[in-house]
Amino acid sequence: MRIERPRGTRDFLPEEMEKRREVERRLRKLAESFGYREVSTPTFEHSELFKRKSGEGIVEEMYVFEDKSKRELALRPELTAPIIRMFVNECSRMPRPLRFYYFGNCFRYERPQKARYREFWQFGVELIGSESYLADLEVILLAYKMLESLEIDFELHIGHVGLLRNLLKPLGEESSKAMRLIDKKDEEGLRKLFSELGMRDLEEKVLRLTELVGGKEVIEEAKEIVDFDFNHVEKLSDLLESLGVKHRINFGIARGLDYYTGVVFECYAKGLGAQKQICGGGSYELAQIFGGERTPATGFAIGFDRVCELFKGDSVKKPVVVIVNFPGLEKNAFELAMRLRESDITAVVDVMGRNLKKQLSYANDINAEYAVIIGESEVKGGVFRVKNLKTGEQLDVEAENITTFLSELLKPKT
RNA sequence: GCCCGGAUGGGGUAGCGGCUAUCCUCUGGGACUGUGGAUCCCAGGAGGCGGGUUCAAAUCCCGCUCCGGGCCCCA
């Protein structure tokens, strides 16, 4: 019996890997242009770290295991908690604000389906230390620019969990249950909950509020429903608009995790079926949960795999030069290859002991641009024969000029 | 955890109780001892696993595993 790949995991072949690297490159470039610096945390943590902050939802689907010393560990289901843990443990004295970005794999034991896997990648940022609307602005702007740079067709929705929390205050203990129902858009469940609690008047308000989706006028409507300071959201929305960031106000966004405190946002894309959410984030307070000082932060995570599926651009493939390798002249072939590689040319030498015909055939199969033939006559004459595999043309080039010659030919056309 | 649909060489398939399991592609070699993509020849390679029914199972039945899609949840 062959050993299969575990369920919900994937192998990435070169073609796909090149595309993923291209997406990664673009995201990194943008994060760094905003002054964010990469951080990395362990693949597994004490399961306590995730249990403490995120309620049953995520905990049920965690990969938890015991190590040989009976420590209870978990493969990370997300990256925000580890990063805030790292911040509390070793960065709390660094100058504020801190700008971190990360790219890493996460694990959740869920039923796999389109654009959902048990091992998946998140690319995200955390801006730690500011609770200004400007922090929300920066982070949302960055998320927007990232998705834009991948030429993805998406919609940005911005909400605020504060006003829902305010409204739900009378529910006391039950309010987080209500938040979850709102997040699920479970109207029936909500009605049931409210009638059980005998709060029909509140029910109407909540339902009206969560249905508010649209432009700025939505804020005015919300003001009539709930007593709340909308200044933060208004300033944020205005500034985003003036910077050309198209968005909709959506007070129905509740987000599954209950550590969010203020502005929350999500991005939805077309073409992924049920998994249309490609980015989610907002402002939160986690530091004190992990034993640090109360510190506001805001961040988001992009569903890297989902975004890769939507990315239609091409990765830039490096051209390949094949060095034809003859028996007895292996030294010459490998020497030439080394010279080309030093000049940043990808050079491939036959290692199958094949004849010339087969080597050219292979060169064709791997889509090489050029073949360099150095046989006995070439070595004697100090001239290498360069064959263009696309056109079939051949040229004899002086051995010492070969690197510059090929570099010139392979220069990317701009 | 629930619902639907699947699983035949590396990839794509045909057969749907009975010959040595079909065809395409692929991989390696050769025709062709130094010039690729074409052609021809040779070689390689398969019914997910376990059980049942039957004289006989890839084919029918059951269970499991895995894959795809949906619910839930999320990225």
Side-chain angles (χ1 to χ4, degrees):
Chain A
M1 240 309 254
R2 250 164 42 178
I3 298 177
E4 301 296 335
R5 166 168 36 86
R7 175 152 219 211
T9 62
R10 290 155 296 159
D11 298 317
F12 301 107
L13 278 82
E15 199 89 353
E16 195 166 1
M17 220 41 225
E18 279 157 15
K19 183 175 162 187
R20 287 172 72 88
R21 287 295 187 203
E22 173 63 21
V23 170
E24 186 189 333
R25 214 203 83 234
R26 294 190 186 196
L27 297 180
R28 279 206 142 88
K29 194 174 149 200
L30 260 160
E32 283 168 14
S33 78
F34 272 62
Y36 288 72
R37 297 171 73 201
E38 185 174 14
V39 293
S40 177
T41 59
T43 307
F44 54 88
E45 298 264 2
H46 294 286
S47 61
E48 174 71 14
L49 173 68
F50 303 108
K51 287 185 173 162
R52 213 183 275 186
K53 61 124 208 178
S54 39
E56 299 97 73
I58 282 197
V59 171
E60 275 169 29
E61 55 198 35
M62 265 200 309
Y63 278 90
V64 181
F65 61 97
E66 211 174 61
D67 73 4
K68 294 191 178 189
S69 305
K70 306 280 179 211
R71 280 182 277 258
E72 194 187 275
L73 303 173
L75 296 180
R76 58 190 180 197
E78 50 101 25
L79 284 158
T80 300
I83 283 177
I84 297 305
R85 192 225 76 225
M86 175 190 78
F87 162 76
V88 168
N89 291 169
E90 47 226 299
C91 312
S92 49
R93 294 302 174 90
M94 287 167 76
R96 314 291 173 89
L98 286 88
R99 290 182 169 91
F100 291 151
Y101 81 87
Y102 58 81
F103 174 56
N105 49 352
C106 300
F107 306 83
R108 289 185 202 172
Y109 191 88
E110 293 180 281
R111 189 77 169 74
Q113 50 189 274
K114 190 176 173 66
R116 172 201 275 165
Y117 309 96
R118 288 186 173 172
E119 182 189 22
F120 59 99
W121 274 257
Q122 286 194 335
F123 192 110
V125 313
E126 309 296 343
L127 172 52
I128 303 167
S130 167
E131 56 187 344
S132 162
Y133 74 99
L134 293 172
D136 294 329
L137 171 91
E138 174 175 303
V139 163
I140 291 172
L141 179 65
L142 176 52
Y144 189 88
K145 287 289 164 193
M146 281 179 167
L147 296 177
E148 209 179 51
S149 83
L150 299 176
E151 294 139 58
I152 285 171
D153 196 9
F154 69 99
E155 229 174 66
L156 164 63
H157 285 223
I158 297 174
H160 196 295
V161 289
L163 57 170
L164 275 172
R165 292 253 161 79
N166 235 15
L167 205 54
L168 295 173
K169 229 175 237 161
L171 297 193
E173 296 278 294
E174 300 293 320
S175 73
S176 70
K177 194 194 269 178
M179 287 294 274
R180 264 195 295 277
L181 291 169
I182 293 165
D183 193 34
K184 281 190 219 172
K185 313 251 179 288
D186 183 354
E187 194 178 319
E188 206 178 309
L190 269 175
R191 286 192 189 279
K192 212 172 133 206
L193 179 70
F194 281 114
S195 62
E196 272 166 20
L197 296 165
M199 293 179 168
R200 303 302 296 266
D201 50 329
L202 201 55
E203 173 187 323
E204 280 316 307
K205 282 187 174 179
V206 168
L207 288 176
R208 266 178 66 203
L209 189 67
T210 56
E211 275 162 18
L212 288 179
V213 182
K216 273 181 77 179
E217 72 286 351
V218 166
I219 297 177
E220 298 308 315
E221 288 178 49
K223 280 179 180 167
E224 288 165 23
I225 301 170
V226 57
D227 181 31
F228 187 77
D229 180 8
F230 283 90
N231 208 252
H232 188 110
V233 180
E234 279 176 321
K235 281 195 290 190
L236 172 67
S237 177
D238 286 347
L239 196 43
L240 280 173
E241 202 179 315
S242 69
L243 290 171
V245 176
K246 289 192 208 83
H247 61 280
R248 313 195 77 190
I249 303 293
N250 179 348
F251 289 121
I253 299 177
R255 310 269 319 141
L257 312 171
D258 24 74
Y259 54 81
Y260 285 101
T261 51
V263 168
V264 287
F265 65 99
E266 296 180 344
C267 299
Y268 314 110
K270 292 160 196 149
L272 280 181
Q275 273 62 49
K276 62 178 180 159
Q277 194 186 317
I278 51 172
C279 172
S283 58
Y284 59 88
E285 272 171 21
L286 264 179
Q288 77 277 25
I289 299 179
F290 302 141
E293 287 167 37
R294 195 189 146 269
T295 311
T298 168
F300 65 81
I302 284 179
F304 186 78
D305 308 281
R306 293 181 181 178
V307 144
C308 283
E309 232 162 285
L310 296 164
F311 178 66
K312 294 290 172 258
D314 285 314
S315 54
V316 194
K317 288 208 180 70
K318 277 202 77 183
V320 174
V321 172
V322 164
I323 318 294
V324 175
N325 190 8
F326 288 106
L329 296 172
E330 291 85 359
K331 176 173 161 282
N332 303 266
F334 277 91
E335 260 173 13
L336 172 61
M338 288 311 295
R339 272 171 58 202
L340 295 179
R341 290 166 188 154
E342 276 161 25
S343 305
D344 208 26
I345 293 169
T346 304
V348 168
V349 182
D350 174 67
V351 291
M352 297 284 278
R354 283 177 170 143
N355 62 29
L356 173 63
K357 199 183 189 80
K358 291 285 177 190
Q359 292 192 44
L360 287 177
S361 173
Y362 178 74
N364 190 55
D365 285 342
I366 64 170
N367 224 342
E369 301 289 314
Y370 293 93
V372 181
I373 300 168
I374 27 168
E376 268 173 72
S377 50
E378 284 83 359
V379 171
K380 270 187 206 134
V383 168
F384 298 157
R385 182 158 291 181
V386 176
K387 183 180 180 99
N388 181 327
L389 291 167
K390 305 292 169 201
T391 64
E393 290 173 274
Q394 314 200 96
L395 259 176
D396 285 344
V397 181
E398 300 275 323
E400 57 266 32
N401 297 336
I402 189 86
T403 303
T404 34
F405 181 77
L406 280 171
S407 298
E408 201 57 36
L409 284 175
L410 296 171
K411 212 188 270 172
K413 293 150 200 106
T414 39

